[in-house]
Amino acid sequence: MEQKYGEDGPKAAAKPRGRPRQYDPQAALDRATEVFWKSGYANASLDEIAAAAGMNRPSLRAAFGDKHALYLDALRAYWAQKFDLMREALAANTLAVALMRAYDAALSVYFSADEAARGCFVVGTAITEAPDDSEIQRLVTDGFRKLDSDFETRIRAAQAAGEISADSDPQALALLATATMHTLAVRARAGTPRAALRALAQRAVAAICR
């Protein structure tokens, strides 16, 4: 084979470029979400987010866009997770069991694996931004409406099955069910123990199902 020469002797073969650094988009988004959850949208820095995601800032921007776009992705992913949990919980065969499963699922999110209180991602990070950010406000409002709608659908099914009084107002009861979930989120963030929050949820369920 012909040897190629440069000015200083045999020309070294070009080294193949290394493969681009691989990352798991979902894992990176999950870690970024944790930063937002802890610090809030305004106080979360891109350097902090990039470090948590295991990416440099240019790679983070290329993958997700700016901080605002990344936060919107995190907010959408949080709602999707919450609605998956809700759908599974509300499929229970009685209304009382369904509601408690929904609240237990919420509490499993509001407390971390080591039982640290972090509350709801939406209530803790999005509510303060919503008045001045139309995109965040829309996602928050749409999410709350879906919560109301999912609870109302389940309550209407219970009413049709004779579990609750025929003259009950499913829409009003659904708003109470959603308000209870918000209360759990706020009180969890404020330091109320999980057991006390579960007892609160049980009392709310009793009121809705009476």
Side-chain angles (χ1 to χ4, degrees), residues 25-126:
Q26 186 58 57
L29 182 60
D30 290 345
R31 292 169 188 152
T33 300
E34 291 297 330
V35 175
F36 286 127
W37 211 328
K38 178 182 177 181
S39 302
Y41 172 72
N43 292 329
S45 71
L46 278 176
D47 286 337
E48 184 182 12
I49 294 168
M55 303 168 69
N56 58 39
R57 286 182 60 168
S59 296
L60 188 72
R61 181 177 289 275
F64 297 103
D66 60 15
K67 187 175 89 167
H68 187 257
L70 176 57
Y71 178 78
L72 293 178
D73 283 347
L75 185 54
R76 292 187 189 98
Y78 178 83
W79 273 132
Q81 178 197 29
K82 189 156 190 173
F83 292 134
D84 282 346
L85 292 172
M86 286 282 293
R87 181 167 54 251
E88 182 177 352
L90 294 179
N93 61 351
T94 69
L95 179 61
V97 171
L99 292 175
M100 274 311 302
R101 285 185 179 177
Y103 294 136
D104 280 333
L107 289 173
S108 73
V109 174
Y110 300 162
F111 289 85
S112 64
D114 60 359
E115 288 300 297
R118 57 184 183 174
C120 171
F121 184 75
V122 176
V123 173
T125 70

